[in-house]
């Protein structure tokens, strides 16, 4: 089986350069793959105009669109397939390597978007942009979001935050780029162009996907042991002290709070299910908020330009949040920060978004939401490392995607039903805010249960 990635000899001879190349490649991968998902709101607006016309018969679909817009189906399937393939890709990369798996994911993304450029019916777009492109994005995401942790034993939160900030930057750049391409080359032309851009870009990203070789890890272990021996008297360097140092150094690749080394062991752990429930709920609500911010803003009387600005501010705040929250997590503990951020997100949905009737309040909510909710994606692999260690990280994080298939597919549809059924008298807008806040509240309670399960000491770093 051919292997794609940084040459092993280059890694061993230039480890620092290789580590930097991996982080840079992962950032670009996040910029391209999840970035295009974060830009879906632009496509949804176009699909709304094309395939629904105030409850009249849609010419393209041949069916009546009196209740639920078909545009939401494309996005819901896209998200659901995305998370389904994080699970499949997590297993696949253990067999054929991260580089080749990333390359295959890029082919699927490019082929899906390019094929969508030829689609004229909703069901065709569901298969192309929803299933095929969504599968590719999920495949790329699980690798680029987890691979940097294998290279660094310190400042993991900060580095993962930097990498995951790429998706926020991607949303800021690709959304206006998509709008420009649509205006210049039409919707179908823009899909074809974006498909070509993503397949070329992700193919290059796959060349930088490589885990740290065991030889390099062993070399660093020995260097740390030698450092202890050189700093202390030889007689005082006990076997126990050397063994403890080696285990501490190896904790980033082998040991977590729960010393499990198999998929079956992870699935049997109580901590996994608390984390799984929290992630599947929080991730679903996160995308509902991002997708609905422009529509919600217009519904409370703001202009479409103000709605676009609010959505842009939320995306921009995720960039800052992922980096700063990741840095703080290095100091305070990953699970601790996971809990704190979701307390803030839940509070903001109930006390900022729900009563919001002005542009200023919506901007404050967008900043608060983006800053804290955006940290979800980097915190997931960090919490997984804390609980189960580095070994099999992509597979462990991929297992969390199974539950997200249902929630990320269903939550936007439910929210859209609230909006379309109750929105005419204004109740629908508030219902969407309460719906998202309720989901975040349940996610926060699950994280609290996880924190208590790991340790009842509120002051311990974990």
């Amino acid at each position: 089986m051919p292997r794609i990635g940084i040459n092993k000899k280059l890694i061993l001879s230039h480890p620092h350069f290789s580590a930097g190349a991996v982080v840079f490649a992962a950032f670009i991968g996040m910029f391209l793959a999840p970035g295009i998902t974060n830009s879906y709101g632009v496509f949804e607006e176009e699909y709304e105009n094309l395939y629904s016309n105030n409850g009249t018969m849609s010419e393209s679909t041949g069916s009546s669109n009196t209740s639920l817009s078909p545009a939401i189906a494309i996005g819901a399937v896209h998200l659901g397939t995305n998370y389904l393939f994080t699970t499949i890709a997590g297993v696949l990369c253990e067999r054929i390597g991260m580089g080749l798996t990333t390359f295959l994911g890029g082919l699927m993304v490019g082929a899906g978007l390019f094929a969508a450029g030829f689609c004229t019916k909703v069901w065709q777009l569901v298969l192309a942009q929803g299933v095929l492109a969504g599968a590719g994005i999920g495949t790329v995401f699980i690798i680029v979001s987890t691979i940097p942790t294998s290279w660094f034993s310190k400042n993991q939160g900060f580095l993962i935050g930097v990498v995951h900030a790429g998706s926020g930057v991607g949303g800021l750049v690709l959304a206006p780029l998509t709008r420009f391409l649509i205006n210049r080359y039409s919707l179908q032309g823009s899909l074809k162009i974006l498909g070509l851009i993503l397949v070329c870009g992700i193919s290059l990203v796959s060349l930088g996907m490589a885990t740290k070789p065991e030889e390099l890890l062993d070399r660093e272990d020995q260097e740390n042991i030698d450092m202890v021996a050189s700093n202390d008297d030889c007689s005082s360097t006990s076997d126990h002290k050397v063994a403890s140092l080696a285990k501490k150094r190896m904790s980033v690749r082998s040991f977590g709070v729960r010393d499990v080394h198999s998929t079956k062991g992870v699935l049997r752990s109580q901590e996994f299910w608390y984390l799984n429930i929290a992630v599947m709920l929080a991730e679903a609500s996160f995308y509902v908020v991002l997708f609905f911010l422009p529509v919600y803003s217009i519904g409370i009387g703001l202009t479409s330009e103000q709605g676009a600005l609010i959505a842009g501010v939320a995306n921009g705040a995720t960039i800052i949040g992922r980096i700063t929250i990741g840095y703080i997590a290095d100091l305070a503990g990953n699970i601790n920060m996971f809990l704190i951020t979701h307390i803030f997100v839940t509070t903001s949905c109930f006390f900022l978004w729900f009563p919001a009737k002005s542009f200023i309040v919506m901007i404050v909510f967008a900043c608060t939401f983006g800053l804290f909710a955006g940290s979800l994606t980097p915190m997931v692999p960090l919490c997984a490392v804390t609980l189960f260690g580095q070994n099999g990280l992509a597979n462990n994080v991929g297992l969390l995607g199974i539950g997200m298939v249902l929630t990320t597919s269903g939550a936007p549809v439910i929210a859209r039903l609230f909006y379309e059924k109750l929105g005419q008298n204004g109740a629908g807008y508030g219902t969407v805010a309460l719906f998202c806040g309720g989901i975040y509240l349940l996610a926060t309670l699950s994280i609290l249960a996880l924190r208590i399960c790991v340790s009842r000491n509120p002051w311990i770093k974990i």
Side-chain angles (χ1 to χ4, degrees), residues 371-405:
L371 185 66
F372 294 104
S375 65
L376 171 65
T377 50
M379 292 307 300
V380 172
L382 290 172
C383 289
V385 168
T386 299
L387 293 171
F388 309 115
Q390 177 64 40
N391 283 348
L393 177 61
N395 183 51
N396 293 339
V397 175
L399 292 173
L400 298 171
I402 298 174
M404 286 188 281
V405 173

Side-chain angles (χ1 to χ4, degrees), residues 79-123:
L79 285 177
T81 310
N82 185 328
Y83 289 110
L84 174 63
F85 269 77
T86 60
T87 304
I88 297 172
V91 176
L92 188 61
C93 69
E94 299 287 335
R95 297 179 178 273
I96 66 174
M98 292 190 166
L100 184 55
T101 305
T102 304
F103 178 74
L104 293 176
L107 289 181
M108 288 190 286
V109 176
L113 292 177
F114 195 82
F118 295 95
C119 296
T120 58
K121 294 184 175 13
V122 170
W123 68 266

Side-chain angles (χ1 to χ4, degrees), residues 142-446:
I142 193 61
I143 297 171
V144 298
S145 66
T146 58
I147 195 171
T149 60
S150 70
W151 284 88
F152 301 93
S153 58
K154 296 181 179 179
N155 301 320
Q156 284 187 336
F158 173 73
L159 291 167
I160 286 289
V162 169
V163 168
H164 282 258
S167 63
V169 178
L172 283 177
V173 174
L174 294 178
L177 175 62
T178 300
R179 172 54 59 196
F180 168 79
L181 292 174
I182 291 173
N183 294 338
R184 184 74 179 271
Y185 301 105
S186 79
L187 174 62
Q188 292 184 324
S190 68
L191 285 164
K192 296 171 186 175
I193 294 171
L194 288 170
L196 292 174
I197 291 174
L198 263 69
V199 73
C200 293
I202 295 174
S203 296
L204 293 175
V205 166
S206 68
L207 300 177
M209 294 294 100
T211 55
K212 184 181 285 189
E214 287 294 322
E215 295 91 333
L216 191 56
L217 288 167
D218 292 337
R219 182 197 302 174
E220 293 176 357
D221 290 340
Q222 189 59 48
E223 288 175 353
N224 286 334
I225 292 172
D226 292 341
M227 181 177 63
V228 170
S230 63
N231 291 337
D232 295 339
D233 293 332
C234 293
S235 58
S236 64
T237 305
S238 64
D239 291 339
H240 175 73
K241 187 174 184 178
V242 171
S244 298
L245 177 63
K247 183 172 181 178
K248 182 179 180 181
R249 173 62 191 85
M250 291 172 64
S251 64
V252 70
R253 60 171 173 167
S254 300
F255 298 95
V257 173
R258 294 294 175 260
D259 190 12
V260 294
H261 302 283
S262 66
T263 299
K264 187 178 293 186
V266 171
L267 291 174
R268 286 177 175 175
S269 67
Q270 191 175 6
E271 293 84 355
F272 170 81
W273 291 105
Y274 285 134
L275 180 62
N276 185 42
I277 292 171
V279 171
M280 62 189 276
L281 293 173
E283 191 78 5
S285 190
F286 175 75
Y287 280 105
V288 170
V289 176
L290 282 188
F291 286 178
F292 275 83
L293 269 182
V295 177
Y296 193 101
S297 300
I298 295 172
I300 61 173
L302 304 181
T303 66
S304 59
E305 289 78 12
Q306 288 176 318
L309 178 59
I310 290 168
V313 168
N315 267 306
T318 63
I319 301 171
I320 301 172
R322 285 166 182 170
I323 297 174
T324 55
I325 298 299
Y327 177 78
I328 298 173
D330 288 328
L331 304 175
N334 297 324
I335 297 177
N336 292 338
M337 283 307 300
F338 197 36
L339 176 60
I340 292 170
T341 54
H342 280 78
I343 291 174
F344 277 101
V345 173
T346 303
T347 303
S348 69
C349 285
F350 285 124
F351 297 103
L352 286 176
W353 193 20
F354 176 65
K357 299 297 180 183
S358 68
F359 175 71
I360 296 298
V361 177
M362 286 297 293
I363 284 289
V364 173
F365 168 72
C367 291
T368 306
F369 177 82
L371 185 66
F372 294 104
S375 65
L376 171 65
T377 50
M379 292 307 300
V380 172
L382 290 172
C383 289
V385 168
T386 299
L387 293 171
F388 309 115
Q390 177 64 40
N391 283 348
L393 177 61
N395 183 51
N396 293 339
V397 175
L399 292 173
L400 298 171
I402 298 174
M404 286 188 281
V405 173
L406 296 176
T407 57
T408 55
S409 299
V413 175
I414 296 172
R416 188 77 191 190
L417 284 172
F418 285 145
Y419 164 69
E420 294 193 355
K421 294 292 185 182
L422 304 175
Q424 292 183 352
N425 60 7
Y429 303 110
T431 306
V432 171
L434 292 176
F435 174 70
C436 292
I439 293 177
Y440 270 121
L441 177 60
L442 293 175
T444 303
L445 293 175
S446 185

